[in-house]
Amino acid sequence: MSPQERRVGAALASIFGLRMLGLFLILPVFAVYAPNLPGGHDLGLVGLAMGAYGLTQAVLQIPFGIASDRWGRKPVIVVGLLLFVLGSFIAAWAPDMHWMIAGRVVQGAGAISAVVTALAADLTREEQRTKVMAMIGSSIGLVFALSLVIAPLLYGWVGMGGLFVLTGGLALLAIAVLLNVVPTPPRAPTLARLPLRRVLVDGDLLKLNLGIGVLHMIQMAMFVVLPRALIEYGGLAAAEHWKVYLPAVLASFAVMVPAIIAAEKKDRMRPVFRTAIALIAVVQLGLYLFGDSLAGLALCLLLFFVAFNILEATLPSLVSRTAPPEAKGAALGVYNTTQAVGLFLGGALGGLIAQRLGSGAVFAVCGGLALVWLVVAGTMRFPRRRPTA
């Protein structure tokens, strides 16, 4: 990559990561905090609050993408980040669970994921685009891992309101990065584009979209119940959860990096990808059988982080390689929409299942979803890595 492409990739990955941090920071502690609010003992409402962010993301990803085609990428990203800031401050103030849900809805209205990836495509060459998309995808895994470590500590220091104020401040920082570091792309000439329907019915893209949706459903559903499990079975207060997350995250990166290198540089994407999905299923079985002990929870979290980070880094790369060149923006818009749908459904259904059937049922359902995904992945065609010039 050229120096400008590296700078663009790093800047856009940081913008993406700062916004996703607003989602992920609450995951390790929100279920612990919720009983302090009126309505917070209802796990259905807790799950809805966690997943509401994804609902508005899902509805608005494609409209934001269309708006960015008309008015430019950077102005639309700024508007989206400002909406995220407003939602963060509403959530920080929220006196009950219903206002908390409203804040999360407004946070999610800043649906800029597809616009950020479109801006990355505008500013990079075709032969380098996959690398930049992988940088952006990897930022999600990195931010998720970071949030699991620092959120319990921050929660102990500043409380949930302080966490939401912090995420709003990070979004303002992302605006500064966008305006001062990221170049403004020239207005692209109008090109013939494939109808959106062609992207929606493409079999290979459908399988990738199913994958990102299932991955984030499982992630959100798990973290409706895991923080309380660490307290009940692990004997750890919320501010001490980092003692489990930090070693697991560090060890997971030691395993993940060689796997990513094998997938990308040695053209081993197929076995690495499928093994990671299988590992997600194994984790759910482990949580179902051994989730009532600290050792079982810690081991399962380690394996989950390994699989999640591999899949989060490789999925957008696969989408950018699989989509027709004239429909990459549309394909990424649908991909990000499906991701947001997964976030919403995972939080809402995870909370509902936990409320009515218990945490074991959550892990059983997540395991079933992972197995369905594994079967679908068995029919996928994997694009071969393009040789570098």
Side-chain angles (χ1 to χ4, degrees):
M1 289 190 289
S2 69
Q4 175 172 307
E5 286 170 327
R6 284 194 292 270
R7 185 169 67 253
V8 165
L12 293 179
S14 69
I15 292 169
F16 211 102
L18 288 171
R19 188 184 63 84
M20 292 302 290
L21 192 61
L23 167 67
F24 292 149
L25 271 178
I26 77 160
L27 289 185
V29 292
F30 188 76
V32 176
Y33 165 77
N36 296 312
L37 291 177
H41 289 280
D42 186 333
L43 286 178
L45 287 180
V46 173
L48 183 59
M50 293 176 68
Y53 180 98
L55 178 62
T56 41
Q57 286 275 302
V59 171
L60 294 174
Q61 283 289 350
I62 293 176
F64 264 63
I66 294 171
S68 75
D69 288 335
R70 181 170 182 179
W71 291 297
R73 313 293 190 207
K74 293 174 76 171
V76 171
I77 293 173
V78 169
V79 170
L81 288 171
L82 288 175
L83 284 170
F84 181 86
V85 172
L86 175 62
S88 298
F89 292 158
I90 292 173
W93 163 81
D96 56 40
M97 282 301 298
H98 294 95
W99 272 108
M100 179 64 72
I101 292 169
R104 296 289 287 164
V105 166
V106 176
Q107 272 190 317
I112 61 169
S113 299
V115 185
V116 171
T117 51
L119 180 57
D122 292 342
L123 294 170
T124 55
R125 293 168 293 165
E126 172 70 23
E127 62 268 23
Q128 300 298 333
R129 196 162 295 152
T130 294
K131 297 177 183 177
V132 174
M133 296 302 176
M135 289 175 67
I136 293 173
S138 298
S139 73
I140 300 176
L142 290 169
V143 166
F144 177 48
L146 176 66
S147 69
L148 292 174
V149 174
I150 66 173
L153 293 171
L154 290 174
Y155 176 71
W157 295 338
V158 302
M160 184 59 67
L163 279 179
F164 279 116
V165 170
L166 175 61
T167 60
L170 290 173
L172 293 174
L173 177 60
I175 293 176
V177 172
L178 174 71
L179 297 178
N180 293 288
V181 179
V182 180
T184 299
R187 178 68 65 176
T190 302
L191 300 174
R193 296 185 183 275
L194 289 178
L196 180 61
R197 180 181 59 83
R198 289 279 302 277
V199 173
L200 291 174
V201 301
D202 183 285
D204 293 325
L205 290 174
L206 276 173
K207 292 168 186 176
L208 293 169
N209 291 334
L210 171 70
I212 193 63
V214 168
L215 180 62
H216 282 270
M217 282 183 68
I218 292 172
Q219 176 202 27
M220 290 297 286
M222 284 175 58
F223 279 89
V224 171
V225 295
L226 277 178
R228 293 188 182 187
L230 285 171
I231 292 174
E232 182 177 353
Y233 301 120
L236 295 175
E240 297 181 311
H241 288 186
W242 66 270
K243 295 177 181 178
V244 173
Y245 294 139
L246 179 59
V249 166
L250 293 178
S252 73
F253 278 112
V255 178
M256 181 201 75
V257 172
I260 292 292
I261 292 173
E264 288 290 345
K265 293 190 174 181
K266 298 182 180 179
D267 203 19
R268 301 288 294 169
M269 182 66 74
R270 185 188 306 270
V272 169
F273 188 81
R274 291 175 178 171
T275 300
I277 299 172
L279 191 54
I280 292 284
V282 170
V283 166
Q284 305 313 309
L285 177 62
L287 288 170
Y288 184 85
L289 295 176
F290 309 112
D292 57 354
S293 69
L294 181 59
L297 289 168
L299 177 60
C300 289
L301 282 168
L302 165 63
L303 298 177
F304 177 76
F305 296 154
V306 171
F308 179 88
N309 290 334
I310 290 172
L311 293 166
E312 197 65 68
T314 54
L315 275 165
S317 174
L318 288 170
V319 171
S320 68
R321 292 185 199 174
T322 302
E326 65 272 30
K328 285 188 185 295
L332 288 165
V334 173
Y335 170 84
N336 284 291
T337 299
T338 312
Q339 179 187 58
V341 170
L343 290 170
F344 168 67
L345 291 177
L349 295 179
L352 185 63
I353 293 169
Q355 179 74 19
R356 296 190 176 182
L357 301 174
S359 59
V362 173
F363 301 136
V365 171
C366 288
L369 288 171
L371 290 174
V372 170
W373 183 15
L374 184 61
V375 171
V376 172
T379 69
M380 283 176 55
R381 293 182 300 174
F382 288 80
R384 296 187 66 84
R385 185 174 66 90
R386 294 174 182 172
T388 57

